[in-house]
Amino acid sequence: MAGNLWPVVPGQRAAMMLALLFQLEQSQWWAPERLQAAQFRQAAEVLRHARRTVPYYGKKFDHIAWRHGQSLTAEIWSELPLLKREDIQDAGDRLHSRALPKSHGKIGTISTSGSTGKPVKVLTTDLTTAFWSACTLRGYIWRRCDFEAKLVAIRHAPIKKADYPNGGQMHLWGGADGGAVPTGPAALLSIMTPVAQQVEWLARQEATYLITYPSNLEAMLRHCQDKKIRFPTLREVQTMSELLNPATRELCSEVWGVPISDMYTCQEAGYIALQCPGHEHYHAQSENMIVEVLNKDGSPSQPGETGKIVVSHLHNYASPLIRYDIGDFAEVGEPCPCGRNLPVLKRIVGRVRGMVTLPNGDQFWPFFSNRKFIEVAPVRQYQIVQKTLDSLEVNLVTDRKLVVKEEDKLRDLIAKRLGHPFAMTFSYFDEIPRGKGGKFEDFKSEL
């Protein structure tokens, strides 16, 4: 509000975000029964909307003994069929709502391979983006971050928007859009930057917080260990998008003297879990989605058991993801001593990724445009394996065997993305299996 500096009167976006944060601060301490009841009240609204406006769900739930107006229970919920990535691929725009509430805002699109190398496309709205931002801010608040400090990220970035040597410069941290929380500056560097240049760039930033991927962080730490490089202003590293190896936590403490805080997200669904501020396990973000961990027989996994993760977004009415099997696994934990009653995931078994190595010795974390893959050919799953310094094996699951022209386009796309004309062989499969422990690598190096 013009002329009003203190106390601040927030604008519409900031007021919404502050209202969400206020509610999240309360609900994290609720008794588990109250939390689950609130989830099912919201899930019932999503289910009603999906049945009425989303063609894919038209008669999908007719066998379920539930009608709108009735209470939705855990027993009824468990009867709903799981949504697989293949279902999303097959459904296409049949998974999109034909009557989205106008108040949910503008529609956006997300294309991603997730944790299985299988590209999918879903719609998002301003509302789902707001919950993403709220969970991001909750993570900062949990960790008592200094909002006046500088935050930098080394991650996927639009081409030429965050290239070395300068990177991209921003006025606010991620998630702080709308002015709900004023922050210090932020900077972004493309993950495609060689590790030595990442380290040099980070040294120039004088940052307090760093966000990057676990495998990339490990490569940076190894480089700094060899060169005896530390960053005096760095206070914490946050990791994302991959499985975090406990050894990387130890290495970060040894080399840089700072802790790691990890987060677990699924791009098409949002925040799944955040690391507890007082422990190394994770709290499910129950206000954003229902997170289930299921045994092979479909029963809920108990503390100490490992099962597959199934999520249901509570606020995406554009592309409702109801009981979505994301392809990852987790071990259920005991209730947390911190007092938060958000469910505990003790250990997450998700995607891992290697570093690509160029013939000149440069190494970096590869990131592929899944949308481009889909535009070139009917790719359902992919895996790229570096066999030698000059050669790659491209494993594909497709609707049909690709013609030479399509393979050539994929070859050019991959070579351009990696910055080297690798020799490539294409192999076709019905399904690309996971590795040991249930992990999947959409890129891996055998060097």
Side-chain angles (χ1 to χ4, degrees):
M1 182 175 291
N4 193 80
L5 301 180
W6 182 83
V8 171
V9 179
Q12 183 177 1
R13 170 76 179 183
M16 177 177 65
M17 196 59 56
L18 291 170
L20 279 175
L21 289 171
F22 177 82
Q23 293 177 78
L24 297 186
E25 172 59 30
Q26 310 304 311
S27 56
Q28 64 185 328
W29 310 106
W30 287 355
E33 297 77 14
R34 182 182 179 187
L35 196 59
Q36 186 184 69
Q39 285 184 311
F40 282 140
R41 284 200 304 273
Q42 180 60 34
E45 291 298 312
V46 177
L47 194 57
R48 179 194 63 81
H49 171 82
R51 270 180 159 176
R52 184 172 59 86
T53 75
V54 180
Y56 174 81
Y57 291 114
K59 296 184 178 181
K60 200 77 173 176
F61 304 139
D62 282 354
H63 66 289
I64 304 301
W66 176 84
R67 293 294 180 267
H68 183 63
Q70 296 178 312
S71 295
L72 188 59
T73 65
E75 291 73 26
I76 294 173
W77 185 257
S78 67
E79 295 178 17
L80 301 179
L82 299 187
L83 178 70
K84 303 284 188 177
R85 297 185 72 84
E86 295 85 353
D87 297 328
I88 299 177
Q89 291 176 322
D90 292 339
D93 62 7
R94 293 179 57 251
L95 194 63
H96 303 165
S97 173
R98 299 294 190 259
L100 182 69
K102 291 183 178 179
S103 58
H104 289 207
K106 295 179 181 178
I107 296 175
T109 302
I110 288 178
S111 296
T112 176
S113 70
S115 60
T116 60
K118 298 179 180 179
V120 298
K121 182 171 71 173
V122 299
L123 300 182
T124 62
T125 64
D126 286 344
L127 179 62
T128 59
T129 301
F131 273 90
W132 181 285
S133 295
C135 290
T136 300
L137 291 173
R138 168 188 256 180
Y140 296 148
I141 293 168
W142 276 8
R143 305 193 316 270
R144 300 188 179 185
C145 291
D146 177 2
F147 283 104
E148 296 182 354
K150 185 173 185 178
L151 178 148
V152 301
I154 302 175
R155 56 176 298 172
H156 171 60
I159 296 175
K160 296 183 179 179
K161 295 292 185 181
D163 290 352
Y164 182 84
N166 296 323
Q169 304 299 316
M170 297 164 286
H171 298 297
L172 290 170
W173 298 5
D177 56 310
V181 180
T183 73
L188 175 66
L189 184 68
S190 170
I191 194 65
M192 304 297 287
T193 307
V195 171
Q197 292 179 353
Q198 291 182 32
V199 171
E200 189 277 329
W201 178 84
L202 181 58
R204 286 189 275 116
Q205 301 307 307
E206 297 184 344
T208 303
Y209 305 106
L210 166 66
I211 300 176
T212 193
Y213 309 111
S215 59
N216 188 67
L217 173 62
E218 183 176 354
M220 293 178 71
L221 290 167
R222 297 294 183 193
H223 178 86
C224 289
Q225 187 177 45
D226 292 341
K227 303 293 184 181
K228 294 182 171 53
I229 298 173
R230 291 175 73 97
F231 304 102
T233 62
L234 193 62
R235 190 181 304 173
E236 181 190 76
V237 177
Q238 185 174 35
T239 49
M240 55 179 285
S241 294
E242 296 179 324
L243 179 69
L244 175 62
N245 191 322
T248 306
R249 290 186 187 274
E250 297 176 9
L251 187 64
C252 192
S253 178
E254 175 188 342
V255 177
W256 288 349
V258 301
I260 293 176
S261 179
D262 193 33
M263 60 179 171
Y264 179 39
T265 65
C266 168
Q267 189 174 6
E268 60 267 41
Y271 275 87
I272 299 173
L274 289 170
Q275 183 180 321
C276 177
H279 303 84
E280 291 186 358
H281 56 234
Y282 304 79
H283 285 293
Q285 298 302 286
S286 297
E287 302 90 348
N288 191 44
M289 64 180 64
I290 295 175
V291 180
E292 301 175 78
V293 183
L294 304 179
N295 296 322
K296 289 182 179 180
D297 62 2
S299 64
S301 299
Q302 300 303 310
E305 295 180 339
T306 298
K308 64 182 176 183
I309 298 175
V310 173
V311 302
S312 303
H313 202 296
L314 292 172
H315 310 285
N316 189 344
Y317 283 60
S319 293
L321 301 178
I322 300 173
R323 302 202 82 202
Y324 173 35
D325 180 354
I326 62 175
D328 288 347
F329 295 79
E331 179 184 343
V332 178
E334 299 283 352
C336 185
C338 76
R340 292 176 178 84
N341 284 314
L342 301 172
V344 173
L345 303 180
K346 183 177 180 180
R347 183 175 61 95
I348 296 164
V349 183
R351 178 177 60 181
V352 297
R353 185 195 293 268
M355 305 284 285
V356 64
T357 304
L358 301 184
N360 66 3
D362 284 346
Q363 288 186 307
F364 58 86
W365 193 94
F367 194 97
F368 300 98
S369 174
N370 305 304
R371 184 176 299 177
K372 293 293 184 182
F373 273 49
I374 300 171
E375 290 174 356
V376 168
V379 176
R380 286 183 170 268
Q381 186 180 24
Y382 68 88
Q383 182 184 65
I384 299 172
V385 183
Q386 182 168 16
K387 308 295 286 188
T388 71
L389 282 175
D390 283 304
S391 67
L392 303 175
E393 181 178 75
V394 182
N395 300 325
L396 297 174
V397 176
T398 58
D399 289 339
R400 54 171 171 75
K401 192 176 188 303
L402 305 188
V403 299
V404 173
K405 185 177 180 180
E406 290 170 324
E407 287 188 351
D408 288 342
K409 285 185 177 180
L410 284 179
R411 187 177 284 107
D412 291 343
L413 189 156
I414 295 169
K416 182 178 180 181
R417 196 65 177 155
L418 297 180
H420 180 74
F422 287 97
M424 300 181 207
T425 58
F426 286 79
S427 301
Y428 294 87
F429 298 86
D430 293 329
E431 179 79 11
I432 302 173
R434 290 176 172 272
K436 293 180 179 179
K439 303 166 191 164
F440 184 87
E441 301 166 276
D442 55 12
F443 177 92
K444 65 179 182 179
S445 174
E446 294 184 351
L447 297 185

